[in-house]
PDB file of all heavy atoms in Angstrom:
ATOM      1  N   VAL A 120       4.325 -17.091  -1.883  1.00 95.00           N
ATOM      2  CA  VAL A 120       5.519 -17.876  -1.561  1.00 95.00           C
ATOM      3  C   VAL A 120       5.136 -19.313  -1.235  1.00 95.00           C
ATOM      4  O   VAL A 120       5.839 -20.259  -1.608  1.00 95.00           O
ATOM      5  CB  VAL A 120       6.292 -17.233  -0.388  1.00 95.00           C
ATOM      6  CG1 VAL A 120       7.407 -18.152   0.100  1.00 95.00           C
ATOM      7  CG2 VAL A 120       6.887 -15.886  -0.815  1.00 95.00           C
ATOM      8  N   ASP A 123       3.387 -20.811  -4.981  1.00 93.00           N
ATOM      9  CA  ASP A 123       4.046 -20.702  -6.281  1.00 93.00           C
ATOM     10  C   ASP A 123       5.546 -20.904  -6.091  1.00 93.00           C
ATOM     11  O   ASP A 123       6.242 -20.016  -5.604  1.00 93.00           O
ATOM     12  CB  ASP A 123       3.766 -19.329  -6.894  1.00 93.00           C
ATOM     13  CG  ASP A 123       4.377 -19.162  -8.281  1.00 93.00           C
ATOM     14  OD1 ASP A 123       5.179 -20.022  -8.700  1.00 93.00           O
ATOM     15  OD2 ASP A 123       4.064 -18.163  -8.950  1.00 93.00           O
ATOM     16  N   PRO A 124       6.078 -22.063  -6.475  1.00 85.00           N
ATOM     17  CA  PRO A 124       7.494 -22.361  -6.215  1.00 85.00           C
ATOM     18  C   PRO A 124       8.457 -21.366  -6.862  1.00 85.00           C
ATOM     19  O   PRO A 124       9.580 -21.205  -6.392  1.00 85.00           O
ATOM     20  CB  PRO A 124       7.666 -23.765  -6.817  1.00 85.00           C
ATOM     21  CG  PRO A 124       6.292 -24.345  -6.843  1.00 85.00           C
ATOM     22  CD  PRO A 124       5.372 -23.197  -7.082  1.00 85.00           C
ATOM     23  N   THR A 125       8.032 -20.713  -7.932  1.00 91.00           N
ATOM     24  CA  THR A 125       8.939 -19.779  -8.612  1.00 91.00           C
ATOM     25  C   THR A 125       8.846 -18.355  -8.076  1.00 91.00           C
ATOM     26  O   THR A 125       9.702 -17.514  -8.377  1.00 91.00           O
ATOM     27  CB  THR A 125       8.633 -19.740 -10.124  1.00 91.00           C
ATOM     28  OG1 THR A 125       7.323 -19.181 -10.336  1.00 91.00           O
ATOM     29  CG2 THR A 125       8.685 -21.135 -10.720  1.00 91.00           C
ATOM     30  N   TYR A 126       7.827 -18.087  -7.303  1.00 92.00           N
ATOM     31  CA  TYR A 126       7.567 -16.705  -6.890  1.00 92.00           C
ATOM     32  C   TYR A 126       8.686 -16.133  -6.018  1.00 92.00           C
ATOM     33  O   TYR A 126       9.154 -15.013  -6.240  1.00 92.00           O
ATOM     34  CB  TYR A 126       6.226 -16.628  -6.142  1.00 92.00           C
ATOM     35  CG  TYR A 126       5.934 -15.265  -5.564  1.00 92.00           C
ATOM     36  CD1 TYR A 126       5.485 -14.222  -6.368  1.00 92.00           C
ATOM     37  CD2 TYR A 126       6.124 -15.015  -4.209  1.00 92.00           C
ATOM     38  CE1 TYR A 126       5.217 -12.971  -5.844  1.00 92.00           C
ATOM     39  CE2 TYR A 126       5.864 -13.760  -3.679  1.00 92.00           C
ATOM     40  CZ  TYR A 126       5.420 -12.747  -4.495  1.00 92.00           C
ATOM     41  OH  TYR A 126       5.176 -11.510  -3.966  1.00 92.00           O
ATOM     42  N   ALA A 127       9.108 -16.907  -5.026  1.00 87.00           N
ATOM     43  CA  ALA A 127      10.112 -16.404  -4.078  1.00 87.00           C
ATOM     44  C   ALA A 127      11.413 -16.027  -4.782  1.00 87.00           C
ATOM     45  O   ALA A 127      12.099 -15.081  -4.365  1.00 87.00           O
ATOM     46  CB  ALA A 127      10.385 -17.434  -2.991  1.00 87.00           C
ATOM     47  N   ASN A 128      11.749 -16.734  -5.861  1.00 87.00           N
ATOM     48  CA  ASN A 128      12.998 -16.445  -6.565  1.00 87.00           C
ATOM     49  C   ASN A 128      12.991 -15.080  -7.240  1.00 87.00           C
ATOM     50  O   ASN A 128      14.057 -14.531  -7.533  1.00 87.00           O
ATOM     51  CB  ASN A 128      13.272 -17.520  -7.615  1.00 87.00           C
ATOM     52  CG  ASN A 128      13.535 -18.878  -6.995  1.00 87.00           C
ATOM     53  OD1 ASN A 128      14.033 -18.959  -5.878  1.00 87.00           O
ATOM     54  ND2 ASN A 128      13.192 -19.938  -7.707  1.00 87.00           N
ATOM     55  N   GLY A 129      11.811 -14.538  -7.470  1.00 86.00           N
ATOM     56  CA  GLY A 129      11.721 -13.241  -8.130  1.00 86.00           C
ATOM     57  C   GLY A 129      11.605 -12.066  -7.183  1.00 86.00           C
ATOM     58  O   GLY A 129      11.541 -10.914  -7.640  1.00 86.00           O
ATOM     59  N   LEU A 130      11.583 -12.315  -5.892  1.00 85.00           N
ATOM     60  CA  LEU A 130      11.452 -11.226  -4.927  1.00 85.00           C
ATOM     61  C   LEU A 130      12.726 -10.394  -4.870  1.00 85.00           C
ATOM     62  O   LEU A 130      13.833 -10.909  -5.005  1.00 85.00           O
ATOM     63  CB  LEU A 130      11.144 -11.774  -3.536  1.00 85.00           C
ATOM     64  CG  LEU A 130       9.765 -12.412  -3.329  1.00 85.00           C
ATOM     65  CD1 LEU A 130       9.671 -13.001  -1.925  1.00 85.00           C
ATOM     66  CD2 LEU A 130       8.649 -11.398  -3.562  1.00 85.00           C
ATOM     67  N   SER A 131      12.558  -9.094  -4.633  1.00 80.00           N
ATOM     68  CA  SER A 131      13.713  -8.231  -4.430  1.00 80.00           C
ATOM     69  C   SER A 131      14.388  -8.573  -3.113  1.00 80.00           C
ATOM     70  O   SER A 131      13.818  -9.271  -2.255  1.00 80.00           O
ATOM     71  CB  SER A 131      13.281  -6.768  -4.413  1.00 80.00           C
ATOM     72  OG  SER A 131      12.522  -6.483  -3.248  1.00 80.00           O
ATOM     73  N   ALA A 132      15.588  -8.055  -2.926  1.00 79.00           N
ATOM     74  CA  ALA A 132      16.305  -8.301  -1.677  1.00 79.00           C
ATOM     75  C   ALA A 132      15.520  -7.781  -0.483  1.00 79.00           C
ATOM     76  O   ALA A 132      15.442  -8.435   0.566  1.00 79.00           O
ATOM     77  CB  ALA A 132      17.681  -7.649  -1.741  1.00 79.00           C
ATOM     78  N   SER A 134      12.218  -7.388  -0.233  1.00 80.00           N
ATOM     79  CA  SER A 134      11.039  -8.225   0.003  1.00 80.00           C
ATOM     80  C   SER A 134      11.409  -9.575   0.598  1.00 80.00           C
ATOM     81  O   SER A 134      10.681 -10.116   1.433  1.00 80.00           O
ATOM     82  CB  SER A 134      10.264  -8.424  -1.304  1.00 80.00           C
ATOM     83  OG  SER A 134       9.613  -7.246  -1.679  1.00 80.00           O
ATOM     84  N   THR A 135      12.527 -10.117   0.168  1.00 83.00           N
ATOM     85  CA  THR A 135      12.998 -11.379   0.741  1.00 83.00           C
ATOM     86  C   THR A 135      13.349 -11.196   2.209  1.00 83.00           C
ATOM     87  O   THR A 135      13.004 -12.038   3.054  1.00 83.00           O
ATOM     88  CB  THR A 135      14.227 -11.890  -0.031  1.00 83.00           C
ATOM     89  OG1 THR A 135      13.862 -12.101  -1.397  1.00 83.00           O
ATOM     90  CG2 THR A 135      14.740 -13.194   0.556  1.00 83.00           C
ATOM     91  N   ARG A 167       1.575  -8.577  -6.899  1.00 96.00           N
ATOM     92  CA  ARG A 167       2.408  -8.763  -8.093  1.00 96.00           C
ATOM     93  C   ARG A 167       2.794  -7.422  -8.706  1.00 96.00           C
ATOM     94  O   ARG A 167       3.928  -7.254  -9.179  1.00 96.00           O
ATOM     95  CB  ARG A 167       1.690  -9.658  -9.103  1.00 96.00           C
ATOM     96  CG  ARG A 167       1.532 -11.107  -8.603  1.00 96.00           C
ATOM     97  CD  ARG A 167       1.115 -12.031  -9.724  1.00 96.00           C
ATOM     98  NE  ARG A 167       0.907 -13.402  -9.267  1.00 96.00           N
ATOM     99  CZ  ARG A 167       1.874 -14.310  -9.145  1.00 96.00           C
ATOM    100  NH1 ARG A 167       3.129 -13.981  -9.417  1.00 96.00           N
ATOM    101  NH2 ARG A 167       1.599 -15.546  -8.749  1.00 96.00           N
ATOM    102  N   ASP A 169       3.193  -4.715  -6.971  1.00 95.00           N
ATOM    103  CA  ASP A 169       4.167  -4.257  -5.986  1.00 95.00           C
ATOM    104  C   ASP A 169       5.560  -4.831  -6.290  1.00 95.00           C
ATOM    105  O   ASP A 169       6.563  -4.114  -6.325  1.00 95.00           O
ATOM    106  CB  ASP A 169       3.676  -4.698  -4.596  1.00 95.00           C
ATOM    107  CG  ASP A 169       4.524  -4.189  -3.445  1.00 95.00           C
ATOM    108  OD1 ASP A 169       5.559  -3.537  -3.674  1.00 95.00           O
ATOM    109  OD2 ASP A 169       4.139  -4.451  -2.295  1.00 95.00           O
ATOM    110  N   ASP A 170       5.604  -6.114  -6.553  1.00 93.00           N
ATOM    111  CA  ASP A 170       6.888  -6.777  -6.804  1.00 93.00           C
ATOM    112  C   ASP A 170       7.562  -6.283  -8.082  1.00 93.00           C
ATOM    113  O   ASP A 170       8.793  -6.294  -8.181  1.00 93.00           O
ATOM    114  CB  ASP A 170       6.683  -8.291  -6.899  1.00 93.00           C
ATOM    115  CG  ASP A 170       6.256  -8.904  -5.586  1.00 93.00           C
ATOM    116  OD1 ASP A 170       6.665  -8.397  -4.522  1.00 93.00           O
ATOM    117  OD2 ASP A 170       5.496  -9.896  -5.609  1.00 93.00           O
ATOM    118  N   ASN A 171       6.761  -5.880  -9.060  1.00 94.00           N
ATOM    119  CA  ASN A 171       7.311  -5.462 -10.350  1.00 94.00           C
ATOM    120  C   ASN A 171       7.497  -3.948 -10.469  1.00 94.00           C
ATOM    121  O   ASN A 171       7.887  -3.457 -11.531  1.00 94.00           O
ATOM    122  CB  ASN A 171       6.399  -5.951 -11.477  1.00 94.00           C
ATOM    123  CG  ASN A 171       6.470  -7.453 -11.651  1.00 94.00           C
ATOM    124  OD1 ASN A 171       7.550  -8.036 -11.691  1.00 94.00           O
ATOM    125  ND2 ASN A 171       5.317  -8.102 -11.738  1.00 94.00           N
ATOM    126  N   LYS A 173       9.683  -1.778  -9.118  1.00 91.00           N
ATOM    127  CA  LYS A 173      10.946  -1.386  -8.496  1.00 91.00           C
ATOM    128  C   LYS A 173      12.025  -1.226  -9.560  1.00 91.00           C
ATOM    129  O   LYS A 173      13.156  -1.670  -9.409  1.00 91.00           O
ATOM    130  CB  LYS A 173      11.360  -2.426  -7.449  1.00 91.00           C
ATOM    131  CG  LYS A 173      10.307  -2.617  -6.342  1.00 91.00           C
ATOM    132  CD  LYS A 173      10.572  -3.818  -5.465  1.00 91.00           C
ATOM    133  CE  LYS A 173       9.420  -4.015  -4.483  1.00 91.00           C
ATOM    134  NZ  LYS A 173       9.596  -5.207  -3.624  1.00 91.00           N
TER     135      LYS A 173
END
Side-chain angles (χ1 to χ4, degrees):
V120 171
D123 182 350
T125 66
Y126 175 78
N128 294 331
L130 291 176
S131 69
S134 288
T135 300
R167 293 193 182 275
D169 185 356
D170 293 328
N171 289 313
K173 302 169 185 178

